[in-house]
Amino acid sequence: MDESRPISTPMCTTTSLTKQSANPFELATEYRMLVGSLQYLSLTRPDVSFAVNKLSQFMHSATTTHWSALKRLLRYIKGSVETGIIINKHGSPLSLHGYSNADWAGDKDDYISTTGCELLWVTSLLNELGILLKTQPVLYCDNMGAKSLSANPVFHSRMKHIALAFHFVREQVQSGSLRVSFVSTEDQLADVLTKPLLRKRFHTLIDKLGLFSPVSCLRGHVKE
């Protein structure tokens, strides 16, 4: 990988990774070691979190296609080694914003959806650390129907068949512990954590997440 050229995104948008995507990869131990190491990097690099999570799903039966996807991820990391989250010491009071989204039936092996929202857990963790939020956390969702159902108690009796997790969110909204707000699909930051994206949208979203990547790190070396 020392001689490989950096690439602008961690995953290809046109290749679906499945358990039977190609021939078994002979160096399975090497695959597991690399993916395992990258799990630590994903703790501070949300731009690679989805790719690492996806590749981790095949650690017990990696194929040559998975290995190629892993090498692509390493090429992306090579071209973004200086990328990091910028945290300013001085600024506005701390506020917490979460984005909820799903890649519906995105797993091509068992058609499980990829979702993401741990806003209340983060709030609880901050409280345990002695960091109290001055404003209620905001959960952004790009589905107007879900937003309306979470805020309007009139729908409660008509929606008893919906999963308990949904009613839990509604109860948090009613108690004032959480606010659900609409966000357009274009501004849905959770997309970067639930699916592969094209270069332009990928970099737009990671910029909004607070990740900083010097232009000089990629200029003249990026290949699609």
Side-chain angles (χ1 to χ4, degrees), residues 119-140:
L119 192 60
L120 294 177
W121 179 85
V122 175
T123 302
S124 176
L125 176 61
L126 290 174
N127 288 337
E128 291 184 10
L129 296 174
I131 303 174
L132 302 179
L133 300 176
K134 295 184 178 180
T135 59
Q136 62 185 168
V138 181
L139 175 62
Y140 291 101

Side-chain angles (χ1 to χ4, degrees), residues 100 138-155 162 166 169-171 173-174 178-184 188:
S100 178
V138 181
L139 175 62
Y140 291 101
C141 175
D142 59 5
N143 186 308
M144 283 296 295
K147 175 184 178 299
S148 299
L149 289 172
S150 67
N152 194 336
V154 173
F155 294 112
I162 295 179
F166 171 81
V169 173
R170 188 192 67 82
E171 292 169 358
V173 172
Q174 295 300 309
L178 179 69
R179 178 164 64 89
V180 176
S181 182
F182 176 76
V183 64
S184 66
Q188 177 56 274

Side-chain angles (χ1 to χ4, degrees), residues 58-76:
F58 308 104
M59 294 180 73
H60 63 291
S61 58
T63 68
T64 53
T65 298
H66 304 144
W67 176 248
S68 296
L70 176 55
K71 289 194 295 183
R72 178 193 174 96
L73 175 56
L74 294 176
R75 289 174 61 194
Y76 168 74

Side-chain angles (χ1 to χ4, degrees), residues 3-77:
E3 303 299 325
S4 63
R5 297 181 62 183
I7 201 165
S8 58
T9 58
M11 292 195 73
C12 178
T13 59
T14 59
T15 301
S16 297
L17 299 180
T18 65
K19 295 178 181 178
Q20 308 298 329
S21 57
N23 297 322
F25 182 60
E26 295 181 357
L27 302 178
T29 300
E30 184 173 350
Y31 179 90
R32 288 192 289 266
M33 289 178 60
L34 282 172
V35 175
S37 298
L38 291 175
Q39 289 178 343
Y40 292 99
L41 178 64
S42 66
L43 296 176
T44 57
R45 290 283 301 272
D47 55 328
V48 303
S49 293
F50 174 73
V52 173
N53 177 271
K54 190 67 176 179
L55 294 171
S56 296
Q57 297 173 22
F58 308 104
M59 294 180 73
H60 63 291
S61 58
T63 68
T64 53
T65 298
H66 304 144
W67 176 248
S68 296
L70 176 55
K71 289 194 295 183
R72 178 193 174 96
L73 175 56
L74 294 176
R75 289 174 61 194
Y76 168 74
I77 294 172

Side-chain angles (χ1 to χ4, degrees), residues 79-168:
S80 59
V81 291
E82 297 182 21
T83 296
I85 298 176
I86 302 300
I87 301 177
N88 296 319
K89 182 177 181 180
H90 303 289
S92 58
L94 177 65
S95 59
L96 194 58
H97 301 266
Y99 291 79
S100 178
N101 190 33
D103 180 18
W104 185 255
D107 192 312
K108 302 306 178 184
D109 289 312
D110 50 22
Y111 295 98
I112 292 176
S113 300
T114 302
T115 60
C117 177
E118 299 291 344
L119 192 60
L120 294 177
W121 179 85
V122 175
T123 302
S124 176
L125 176 61
L126 290 174
N127 288 337
E128 291 184 10
L129 296 174
I131 303 174
L132 302 179
L133 300 176
K134 295 184 178 180
T135 59
Q136 62 185 168
V138 181
L139 175 62
Y140 291 101
C141 175
D142 59 5
N143 186 308
M144 283 296 295
K147 175 184 178 299
S148 299
L149 289 172
S150 67
N152 194 336
V154 173
F155 294 112
H156 178 59
S157 60
R158 305 177 187 177
M159 299 295 174
K160 291 182 178 179
H161 63 283
I162 295 179
L164 293 176
F166 171 81
H167 292 299
F168 173 75

